[in-house]
């Protein structure tokens, strides 16, 4: 549990260092058994210490720590309930948030969309911390490991904090590429087909080193 908390804090701090969040915006969680460790609400990540651990059960009841959990807890718990996620990263990344205000799905600008399950959808806007937002996110995540939140930010999940974070970084990068390509007057970016992205998805199954 202590190691998981340390990794969670390190991941949260990385979202700030990499410019994916400002101040205390965004949040990170990791599931350890039937306990979900989550960043607390309103506390700068650089102030978090080992004794500040915050944990809830899968029903949202606090079982560890005295700091209040993130206001986005309903969204995190909904993802754990509906998927096999072991970690969730939510950010207010600049380019991804900008894209979320322009389209209903991120155009297929790059084949690495396959790493998120295909074309990334935009969850309709709802007030932060609400069950409505959690439900909108689940619909946008169906069959995928990442989505955009309209006028809000990003959410990705994975089998580990490092995987969830890498997916967030990849999503922000794709949004930045699309915005850059779309900004040239008189032209439109070439997009990939769903079939081309699906083919990459198959190839990614065997990507990396064995074992």
């Amino acid at each position: 549990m202590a190691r998981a908390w340390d990794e969670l804090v390190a991941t949260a701090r990385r979202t700030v260092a990499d410019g994916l969040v400002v101040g205390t915006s965004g949040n990170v969680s990791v599931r350890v058994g039937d306990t979900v460790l989550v960043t607390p609400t309103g506390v700068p990540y650089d102030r978090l210490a080992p004794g500040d651990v915050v944990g809830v059960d899968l029903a949202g009841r606090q079982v560890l720590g005295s700091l209040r959990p993130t206001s986005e807890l309903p969204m995190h718990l909904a993802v754990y309930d509906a998927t096999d996620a072991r970690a969730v990263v939510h950010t207010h990344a600049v380019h991804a948030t900008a894209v979320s205000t322009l389209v209903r799905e991120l155009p297929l600008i790059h084949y690495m969309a396959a790493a998120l399950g295909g074309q990334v959808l935009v969850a309709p806007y709802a007030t932060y911390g609400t069950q409505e937002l959690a439900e909108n996110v689940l619909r946008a995540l169906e069959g995928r490991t990442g989505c955009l939140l309209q006028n809000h930010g990003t959410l990705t999940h994975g089998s580990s904090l490092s995987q969830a974070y890498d997916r967030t970084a990849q999503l922000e990068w794709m949004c930045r590429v699309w915005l850059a390509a779309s900004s040239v007057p008189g032209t439109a970016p070439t997009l990939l087909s769903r079939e081309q992205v699906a083919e990459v998805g198959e190839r990614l199954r065997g990507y990396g080193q064995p074992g």
Side-chain angles (χ1 to χ4, degrees), residues 2-56:
R3 286 194 299 271
W5 176 251
D6 288 345
E7 186 180 2
L8 180 146
V9 171
T11 302
R13 290 174 177 169
R14 187 178 177 191
T15 65
V16 177
D18 291 351
L20 299 179
V21 304
V22 175
T24 60
S25 65
N27 27 79
V28 178
S29 69
V30 61
R31 180 174 176 177
V32 182
D34 290 333
T35 300
V36 175
L37 303 182
V38 62
T39 48
T41 185
V43 180
Y45 300 142
D46 60 359
R47 297 183 187 175
L48 291 176
D52 293 327
V53 61
V54 178
V56 301

Side-chain angles (χ1 to χ4, degrees), residues 64-87:
L64 291 172
S66 58
L67 296 175
R68 289 189 296 122
T70 173
S71 56
E72 295 286 16
L73 184 61
M75 185 168 64
H76 287 255
L77 294 179
V79 173
Y80 290 119
D81 182 60
T83 73
D84 59 357
R86 308 302 295 185

Side-chain angles (χ1 to χ4, degrees), residues 99 103-109 113 116 119-122 148 171 174-175 178:
V99 169
V103 294
R104 294 186 176 181
E105 52 189 39
L106 176 61
L108 291 171
I109 193 71
L116 298 174
Q119 193 152 24
V120 177
L121 305 183
V122 179
L148 300 177
L171 177 53
M174 286 191 293
C175 288
W178 182 73

Side-chain angles (χ1 to χ4, degrees), residues 90-167:
H90 166 53
T91 79
H92 294 178
V94 172
H95 300 92
T97 303
V99 169
S100 79
T101 71
L102 298 172
V103 294
R104 294 186 176 181
E105 52 189 39
L106 176 61
L108 291 171
I109 193 71
H110 194 273
Y111 64 79
M112 282 303 290
L116 298 174
Q119 193 152 24
V120 177
L121 305 183
V122 179
Y125 179 81
T127 304
Y128 79 92
T130 62
Q131 193 60 38
E132 180 185 6
L133 177 59
E135 292 169 0
N136 290 350
V137 165
L138 287 186
R139 284 192 289 271
L141 281 177
E142 188 171 352
R144 298 168 174 83
T145 55
C147 70
L148 300 177
L149 284 62
Q150 187 180 46
N151 295 84
H152 189 154
T154 69
L155 184 140
T156 59
H157 67 79
S159 60
S160 65
L161 280 165
S162 61
Q163 185 181 63
Y165 183 86
D166 287 347
R167 287 171 172 169

